[in-house]
């Protein structure tokens, strides 16, 4: 179970991954700009979108589960491929009967569910744009400002909800102000005037309704809108990202080439990532449909009180591929170390693991590899890339084993990457992208669309990267932070927030799950951070029963963090975190401190918690504030 290294040493091998090897072509321009592209074009496929794969799997895998989710009694309820195809056609025809079409989209307010999968795929098959919205806009908001702004930008032809009780306030707000005549489709708790899901999905498909559905399907063109996803960044009303059938087809073609090995056997996925984001709603949902998988909808989340559900599910489901955000992997590492059954289930059939939304701490990567070696005698490749909602969740990808996390790979088939040198001598580039996977613009916001692209049509991510090997671009790139998050200290020194955040979490491992770097126009750097509760509880027996609020001020936890902070290595010449405060209150979804996929918005969190930053920089800091040099 080992492979030789130079000098005769050995190291545990990686479980083989089966991605085809591709060559990266590098074009060098004056001024240091690089253009990277794959040496092969996207294959031509017959399917317009993911929904076109369903009839084949209904015929080949009719009685096998397509989607599974937890029922109220805790058992898994399932929908077979045959029933999925039947319901997609029935619901697609019903949506057309309701007058939905290219100019009257279907809006979805609730989260991932079997019914939402059917609704999304039915709309996609019928040529009806779908607009899945973050449930937080409809559940946690007080004034529904963002939800109303979305409805103004993309007026819905109908609104889908899983539970009317949960969404009653949001539906009432829309009915009173912005969408008084919009029909509501409800899975549970349908009220008078609503369309009940059971009726919609079971309506017989008459010859006339079948013909209308197939006519609408045949009329779909590549530039028609398939999906509208919303991204808001740090402030302001959400931006509507228009994804076309050309975009979805590009992703499906990329899958057909790079993931063809998934056709050898029915894959199994377990996934919580929300379908109103590109990663969960385009890549993961689309991949499950394209390859005829059994897709388990994970009812857990990487937050206290909910991650236990993910752990429970992973004990029962052994996925072919498992992807989550780094904050989830941080907590999962602790669970794997203490639960051999969980480790055996997770590693049993995994071809590889994935992470996205942020960089993964090296300590977390190492701990999981150690458990893998102990459990199965080999390491598991962690794959990741760089993409965004605007690129349909597809962009660069690293599909080969690496000895540390952080490599985001090379451009995927069909994508071109432009690397523009950034100011400074640290080898950073601004990364931009173009290709058939890149969106055509923000709905109703031409000025933002214009600003999002450069003069050659490359989309500006707002991210920085470095070449993993400055002399060989085919070795991939490394994420080097959000350019919009960087700031200067009072002495003029640039602070690369992304790299510093990752270094801090690594330095304090495993006691922190994430951090926010502070110090704009200050004399030194400090940080706000969230504890890894399970790891802190294991520091001493008397901590085992304490909650986050008690842990962050406990002298044992403060002392352990102080010891680690004192060992940190400077970022660049002198940059170190001088003070740190651990916080009990988790990042707020409603306040936009954290995205659904787990990425912490640094600027928003600093603004919302400005009073804590003042405490950090107080002349006489409180005892629970960790100082690297007391």
């Amino acid at each position: 179970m080992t492979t030789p290294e130079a000098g005769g040493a050995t190291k545990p091998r990686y479980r083989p991954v089966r991605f085809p090897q591709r060559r990266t072509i590098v074009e060098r321009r004056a001024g240091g700009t690089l253009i990277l592209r794959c040496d092969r074009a996207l294959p031509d496929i017959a399917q317009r979108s993911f929904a076109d794969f369903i009839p084949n799997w209904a015929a080949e895998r009719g009685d096998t589960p397509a989607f599974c989710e937890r029922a109220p009694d805790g058992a898994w309820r399932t929908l077979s491929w045959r029933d999925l195809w039947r319901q997609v056609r029935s619901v697609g025809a019903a949506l057309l009967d309701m007058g939905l079409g290219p100019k009257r989209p279907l809006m979805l307010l609730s989260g991932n569910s079997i019914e939402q999968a059917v609704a999304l795929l039915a709309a996609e098959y019928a040529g009806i744009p779908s607009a899945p919205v973050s449930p937080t806009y409809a559940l946690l908001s007080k004034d529904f400002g963002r939800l109303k702004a979305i409805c103004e930008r993309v007026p819905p032809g109908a609104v889908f909800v899983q539970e009317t009780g949960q969404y009653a306030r949001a539906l009432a707000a829309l009915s009173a102000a912005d969408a008084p005549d919009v029909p509501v489709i409800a899975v549970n708790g349908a009220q008078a005037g609503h369309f009940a899901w059971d009726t919609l999905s079971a309506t017989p498909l008459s010859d006339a309704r079948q013909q209308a559905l197939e006519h609408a399907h045949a009329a779909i063109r590549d530039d028609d809108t398939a999906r509208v996803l919303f991204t808001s960044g740090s402030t302001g009303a959400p931006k509507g990202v228009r994804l076309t059938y050309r975009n979805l087809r590009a992703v499906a073609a990329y899958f057909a080439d790079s993931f063809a090995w998934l056709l050898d056997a029915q894959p199994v996925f377990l996934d919580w990532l929300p379908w109103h984001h590109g990663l969960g709603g385009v890549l993961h949902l689309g991949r499950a449909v394209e390859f005829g998988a059994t897709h388990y909808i994970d009812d857990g989340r990487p937050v206290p009180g909910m991650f236990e559900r993910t752990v429970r599910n992973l004990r029962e489901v052994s996925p072919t591929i498992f992807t989550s955000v780094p904050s989830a992997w941080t907590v999962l590492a602790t669970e794997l170390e203490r639960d051999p059954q969980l480790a055996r289930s997770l590693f049993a059939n995994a071809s590889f693991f994935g992470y996205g939304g942020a960089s993964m701490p090296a300590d977390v990567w190492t701990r999981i590899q150690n458990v893998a070696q102990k459990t199965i005698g080999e390491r598991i490749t962690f794959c990741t890339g760089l993409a965004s909602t605007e690129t349909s969740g597809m962009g660069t990808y690293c599909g080969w084993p690496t000895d540390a996390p952080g490599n985001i790979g090379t451009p995927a088939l069909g994508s071109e990457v432009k690397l523009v040198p950034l100011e400074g001598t640290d080898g950073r580039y601004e990364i931009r992208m173009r290709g058939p996977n890149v969106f055509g613009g923000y709905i109703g916001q031409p000025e933002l669309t214009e600003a999002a692209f450069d003069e050659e049509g490359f989309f500006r991510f707002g991210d920085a990267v470095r070449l993993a090997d400055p002399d060989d671009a085919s070795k991939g790139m490394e994420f080097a932070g959000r350019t919009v998050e960087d700031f200067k200290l009072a002495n003029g020194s640039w602070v690369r927030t992304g790299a510093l955040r990752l270094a801090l979490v690594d330095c304090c491992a495993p006691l922190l799950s994430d951090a926010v770097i502070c110090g704009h126009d200050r004399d030194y750097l400090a940080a706000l951070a969230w504890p890894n509760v399970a790891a802190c509880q294991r520091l001493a027996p008397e901590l085992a029963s304490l909650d986050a609020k008690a842990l962050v001020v406990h002298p044992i936890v403060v002392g352990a963090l102080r010891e680690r902070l004192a060992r940190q290595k400077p970022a660049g010449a002198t940059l170190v975190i001088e003070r740190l405060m651990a916080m009990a209150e988790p990042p707020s979804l409603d306040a936009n401190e954290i995205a659904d996929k787990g990425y912490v918005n640094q600027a928003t969190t600093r603004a919302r918690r400005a009073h804590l930053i003042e405490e950090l920089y107080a002349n006489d800091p409180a005892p629970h504030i960790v100082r690297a040099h007391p």
Side-chain angles (χ1 to χ4, degrees), residues 333-580:
T334 301
E335 297 298 329
L336 290 169
E337 288 168 337
R338 66 186 184 187
D339 189 339
Q341 177 191 346
L342 174 65
R344 287 192 295 272
S345 179
L346 178 60
F347 297 135
N349 299 317
S351 298
F352 64 88
F353 294 147
Y355 64 95
S359 300
M360 173 174 281
D363 169 77
V364 173
W365 183 92
T366 300
R367 290 165 61 200
I368 292 172
Q369 297 295 10
N370 288 341
V371 178
Q373 293 169 33
K374 179 179 178 180
T375 305
I376 59 174
E378 55 189 358
R379 294 189 283 185
I380 302 288
T381 299
F382 271 90
C383 297
T384 193
L386 180 68
S388 70
T389 302
E390 290 88 343
T391 66
S392 308
M394 165 186 160
T396 71
Y397 199 68
C398 179
W400 60 86
T402 59
D403 288 331
N407 195 317
I408 60 171
T410 53
L413 269 70
S415 297
E416 286 184 289
V417 163
K418 177 192 283 189
L419 301 181
V420 180
L422 287 169
E423 178 185 355
T425 58
D426 55 356
R428 299 198 320 156
Y429 296 86
E430 180 201 346
I431 183 170
R432 305 174 185 177
M433 181 174 292
R434 71 181 177 188
N437 58 304
V438 178
F439 82 133
Y442 299 109
I443 293 177
Q445 295 177 300
E447 70 288 352
L448 292 181
T449 298
E450 183 178 1
F453 293 90
D454 70 10
E455 68 284 354
E456 293 184 289
F458 283 87
F459 171 68
R460 305 173 189 264
F461 281 100
D463 291 330
V465 300
R466 292 187 184 89
L467 294 178
D469 181 343
D471 298 321
D472 187 356
S474 68
K475 298 291 181 62
M477 297 169 280
E478 295 175 348
F479 182 70
R482 296 279 296 161
T483 57
V484 295
E485 290 182 346
D486 294 346
F487 59 84
K488 286 184 178 181
L489 290 172
N491 64 10
S493 298
W494 271 107
V495 177
R496 309 304 187 191
T497 299
L500 199 58
R501 169 199 152 273
L502 191 62
L504 174 64
V505 174
D506 271 340
C507 173
C508 295
L511 302 182
L512 299 181
S513 60
D514 215 327
V516 173
I517 307 301
C518 309
H520 189 278
D521 290 336
R522 305 271 188 170
D523 292 327
Y524 58 88
L525 290 170
L528 300 173
W530 288 280
N532 179 344
V533 171
C536 291
Q537 289 172 332
R538 295 208 313 274
L539 286 172
E542 60 264 38
L543 304 181
S545 61
L546 298 186
D547 61 10
K549 187 176 181 179
L551 287 169
V552 297
V553 297
H554 198 285
I556 292 178
V557 176
V558 173
L561 287 170
R562 183 183 299 116
E563 291 177 5
R564 287 163 171 78
L565 206 61
R567 298 198 300 260
Q568 65 185 310
K569 298 178 181 178
T574 59
L575 295 182
V576 296
I577 303 297
E578 297 289 348
R579 294 184 181 182
L580 181 148

Side-chain angles (χ1 to χ4, degrees), residues 146 231-236 239 482 484 591-593 601-605:
R146 290 193 171 191
T231 178
S232 60
S234 59
T235 60
K239 296 175 289 186
R482 296 279 296 161
V484 295
N592 201 35
E593 286 187 319
N601 187 314
Q602 298 270 321
T604 300
T605 306

